[in-house]
């Protein structure tokens, strides 16, 4: 019997599945189900319920459960060998929370295969909808929690991140403040990941350390619930939280619901799930300190493992636990493709002309710097959008194209220094990673080689690999992360882009000038703002 492992990914807009055959080292099945299209009766837009308040973003947990039934039904119909699946794990959009009442635990253990999951789950929620990561309605609660914990630096030091609107703790606090009766009726709070794992395991699942770190509730070093954070959030919270667990921990056999209904093997193991970012680093094969992932999308994200826990004193970057047992960072720069496209469009160029502009200008841009904060920026925190130039005129098209890319790469280098990790190889992914001219600037600024990796569904693949790891560990095989992931990720690493040593020396000097200009600009913005509000 082949060793198949199933990885699921419950994301904002869809539920995806990947099945891997561990011995033949192949992905044997891939499928995605879009919530809006497959389940239109929930009336979501891009997976989110419409709301009059633009800051409020909720989704219905029953939609995620119904999607799970639908996806299993499709896999069965399409002849996926579900009986050969040894273990199932999954990935969930981070931070979103599900609120169970006292009936939930009993209902989960007695899931009836004659009924649908939706029918089985009727009456088990103390809150009908789930706030998700796109919700930004909790600024007041963030302030309250941050103050109780001793400020930005301290909050980040204790929980891995400053208090952020989308994080679960501030969301729970808002629920407690605005609907105390429903909060009182809440017996158990789950993340999207642990909610889905609970369905598969037929019991309330633990929250894993990776996703747990995105709550502002977990002691990032001890990997345990942090009493001060719980007290700062809501009363009697400890009793409503499940235990924490390693990301690859086996919960137990899969629920008989999935055995009877879809033909899963009764000995198949249900694992703890994690968040999409922790799962993705496994799916991309980034499992050792020194490997860094950079995703170039609408926003650019920088993520990489850290063997030791360090936190960002400015509270801009996040620290989560990596499924491998190390730590990982996630630093999100909002003005990614957003800014590259804005500058390109300003000068009426297409991508070929943009790349030619990079070729026509020297590394270091003769000292020309552009801070491309076309929209408010997350790292560094900038609330007033604007373009800021030094030694650079707005009438120099080519130099401005180089300046936007150099600034983005210098900002990544500067704002990841707190990690104290030496990047030895960068794994570039996301839409703009197809552009070799941009990757060359990345290699030169970071002073290390860059490889492009194209992994579709990296979170679901990561989950399947975590299922394999957890199953092998339970079998007593002492699996090694690098070996487990290499099978699926190494062949996808295409030709390497090497740094140009001379250019790297130029950027080492330029980093100081960039940092100084950024600091001066932030000071100027703060001053203008304080005069305006005085
Ligand atoms: C991470 C974050 C998002 C979500 C949705 O902090 O908010 O990446 O995990 O993908």
């Amino acid at each position: 019997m082949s060793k198949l492992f199933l990885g699921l990914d419950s994301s904002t807009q869809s539920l995806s599945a990947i099945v891997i055959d561990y011995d033949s080292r192949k992905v044997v099945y891939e499928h995605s189900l879009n919530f809006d299209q497959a389940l239109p009766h929930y009336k979501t837009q891009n997976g989110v319920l419409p709301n009059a308040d633009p800051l409020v973003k909720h989704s219905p947990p029953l939609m995620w459960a119904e999607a799970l039934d639908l996806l299993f039904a499709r896999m069965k119909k399409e002849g996926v060998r579900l009986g050969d699946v040894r273990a199932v794990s999954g990935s969930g959009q981070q931070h979103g929370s599900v609120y169970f009442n006292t009936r939930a635990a009993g209902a989960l253990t007695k899931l009836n295969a004659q009924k649908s999951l939706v029918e089985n789950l009727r009456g088990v929620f103390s809150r009908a909808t789930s706030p998700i990561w796109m919700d930004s309605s909790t600024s007041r609660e963030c302030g309250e929690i941050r103050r109780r914990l001793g400020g930005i630096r301290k909050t980040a030091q204790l929980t891995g991140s400053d208090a952020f609107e989308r994080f679960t703790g501030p969301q729970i606090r808002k629920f407690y403040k605005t609907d105390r009766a429903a909060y009182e009726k809440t017996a158990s709070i789950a993340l999207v990941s642990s909610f889905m794992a609970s369905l598969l395991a037929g019991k309330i699942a633990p929250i894993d350390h990776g996703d747990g770190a995105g709550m502002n509730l977990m002691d990032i070093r001890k990997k345990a619930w942090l009493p001060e954070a719980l007290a700062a959030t809501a009363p009697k919270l400890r009793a409503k939280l499940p235990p924490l667990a390693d990301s690859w921990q086996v919960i137990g056999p899969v629920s008989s619901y999935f055995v009877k209904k879809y033909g899963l093997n009764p000995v198949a193991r249900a694992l703890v799930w994690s968040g999409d970012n922790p799962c993705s680093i496994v799916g991309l094969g980034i499992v050792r300190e020194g490997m860094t992932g950079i995703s170039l999308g609408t926003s650019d994200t920088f993520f990489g493992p850290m063997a030791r826990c360090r936190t960002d004193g400015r509270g801009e970057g996040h620290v989560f636990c990596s499924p491998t047992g190390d730590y990982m960072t996630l630093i999100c720069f909002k003005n990614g493709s957003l800014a590259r496209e804005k500058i390109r469009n300003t000068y009426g160029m297409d991508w070929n002309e943009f790349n030619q502009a990079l070729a026509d200008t020297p590394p270091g841009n003769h000292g020309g710097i552009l801070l491309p904060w076309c929209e408010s920026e997350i790292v560094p925190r900038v609330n007033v959008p604007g373009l800021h130039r030094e030694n650079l005129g707005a009438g120099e098209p080519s130099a401005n194209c180089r300046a936007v890319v150099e600034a983005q790469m210098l900002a990544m280098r500067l704002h990841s220094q707190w990690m104290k990790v030496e990047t030895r190889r960068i794994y570039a992914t996301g839409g703009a990673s197809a552009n070799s001219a941009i990757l060359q600037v990345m290699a030169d600024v970071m002073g290390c080689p860059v490889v492009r990796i194209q992994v579709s569904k990296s979170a679901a693949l990561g989950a399947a690999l975590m299922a394999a790891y957890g199953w092998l560990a339970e079998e007593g095989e002492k699996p090694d992360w690098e070996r487990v992931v290499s099978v699926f990720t190494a062949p996808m690493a295409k030709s390497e882009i090497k740094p140009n040593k001379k250019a790297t020396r130029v950027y080492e000097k330029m980093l100081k000038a960039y940092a100084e200009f950024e600091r001066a600009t932030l000071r100027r913005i703060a001053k203008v703002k304080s005069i305006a509000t005085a």
Side-chain angles (χ1 to χ4, degrees), residues 280-317:
S280 275
I281 69 161
V282 171
L284 294 169
I286 302 174
V287 292
R288 288 278 176 266
E289 180 172 298
M291 298 169 144
T292 292
I294 293 183
S295 165
L296 299 176
T298 309
S299 302
D300 291 343
T301 38
F302 179 103
F303 45 93
M306 281 186 288
R308 282 189 51 199
C309 181
R310 293 198 175 83
T311 52
D312 180 5
R314 293 155 70 133
E316 294 165 343

Side-chain angles (χ1 to χ4, degrees), residues 305-328:
M306 281 186 288
R308 282 189 51 199
C309 181
R310 293 198 175 83
T311 52
D312 180 5
R314 293 155 70 133
E316 294 165 343
H318 304 305
V319 177
F320 301 140
C321 297
S322 161
T324 61
D326 283 347
Y327 290 88
M328 63 170 283

Side-chain angles (χ1 to χ4, degrees), residues 147 163 375 382 504:
R147 259 194 308 282
E375 292 211 2
V382 181
T504 299

Side-chain angles (χ1 to χ4, degrees), residues 342-532:
K342 177 87 194 278
I343 297 296
R344 189 200 64 162
N345 294 343
T346 303
Y347 298 105
M349 295 181 182
D350 61 21
W351 283 118
N352 285 333
E353 288 164 328
F354 185 91
N355 293 348
Q356 190 55 48
L358 292 180
D360 290 344
T361 45
N365 216 14
H366 301 296
I369 301 178
L370 168 69
L371 302 177
W373 299 330
C374 303
E375 292 211 2
S376 61
E377 181 49 76
I378 301 171
V379 182
R381 285 176 216 243
V382 181
N383 295 326
V384 189
L387 297 178
H388 306 271
R389 294 183 172 87
E390 186 176 64
N391 303 325
L392 180 70
E396 301 172 70
S398 298
N400 276 271
C401 293
R402 173 163 283 279
V404 66
V405 180
E406 286 186 343
Q408 290 174 326
M409 301 307 156
L410 287 162
M412 286 200 204
R413 186 155 169 191
L414 180 68
H415 293 285
S416 58
Q417 277 178 347
W418 57 267
M419 293 169 65
K420 296 197 169 46
V421 166
E422 190 198 334
T423 299
R424 283 191 286 278
R425 202 174 195 214
I426 291 170
Y427 296 75
T429 172
S433 69
N435 187 321
S436 299
I438 292 178
L439 295 199
Q440 185 64 57
V441 179
M442 183 186 281
D444 293 346
V445 171
M446 298 291 179
C448 68
V450 176
V451 284
R452 195 180 281 132
I453 36 175
Q454 246 101 36
V455 178
S456 78
K457 303 194 177 69
S458 59
L461 175 61
L465 292 167
M466 278 152 57
Y469 186 97
W471 184 84
L472 290 167
E474 207 193 40
E475 295 285 298
E477 289 197 26
K478 298 206 171 66
D480 169 69
W481 277 107
E482 229 150 337
R483 212 187 109 60
V484 170
V485 303
S486 67
V487 171
F488 292 91
T489 49
M492 296 176 216
K494 298 225 186 87
S495 57
E496 193 174 74
I497 296 177
K498 295 203 167 51
N500 173 318
K501 285 202 178 105
K502 241 169 95 183
T504 299
R505 278 198 294 275
V506 170
Y507 288 125
E508 258 147 30
K509 277 203 197 117
M510 193 179 187
L511 188 64
K512 292 195 189 83
Y514 173 86
E516 184 41 49
F517 183 48
E518 192 191 90
R519 256 196 312 272
T521 308
L522 292 174
R523 271 200 303 267
R524 209 169 47 241
I525 294 175
K527 211 159 144 194
V528 171
K529 230 176 123 190
S530 71
I531 293 169

Side-chain angles (χ1 to χ4, degrees), residues 7-16 35 64 89-98 131-133 166 168 190-197 206-208 210-212 214 247 271-281 320 323 330 458-464 466:
L8 298 161
D9 175 26
S10 183
S11 76
T12 316
Q13 302 197 37
S14 56
L15 179 67
S16 305
F35 298 137
W64 300 326
S89 184
S91 148
Q93 51 169 311
Q94 290 198 256
H95 318 298
S97 41
V98 178
I132 63 158
W133 67 280
R166 66 189 192 286
T168 326
L191 293 179
V192 178
S193 55
S194 69
F195 168 64
M196 298 297 281
I207 286 178
D208 87 302
D211 221 7
S247 311
L271 268 85
V272 162
W273 287 32
S274 189
D276 54 357
N277 293 296
C279 288
S280 275
I281 69 161
F320 301 140
L330 179 83
S458 59
L461 175 61
M466 278 152 57

Side-chain angles (χ1 to χ4, degrees), residues 68 149 279 285 335 500:
L68 190 62
L149 291 180
C279 288
N335 288 283
N500 173 318

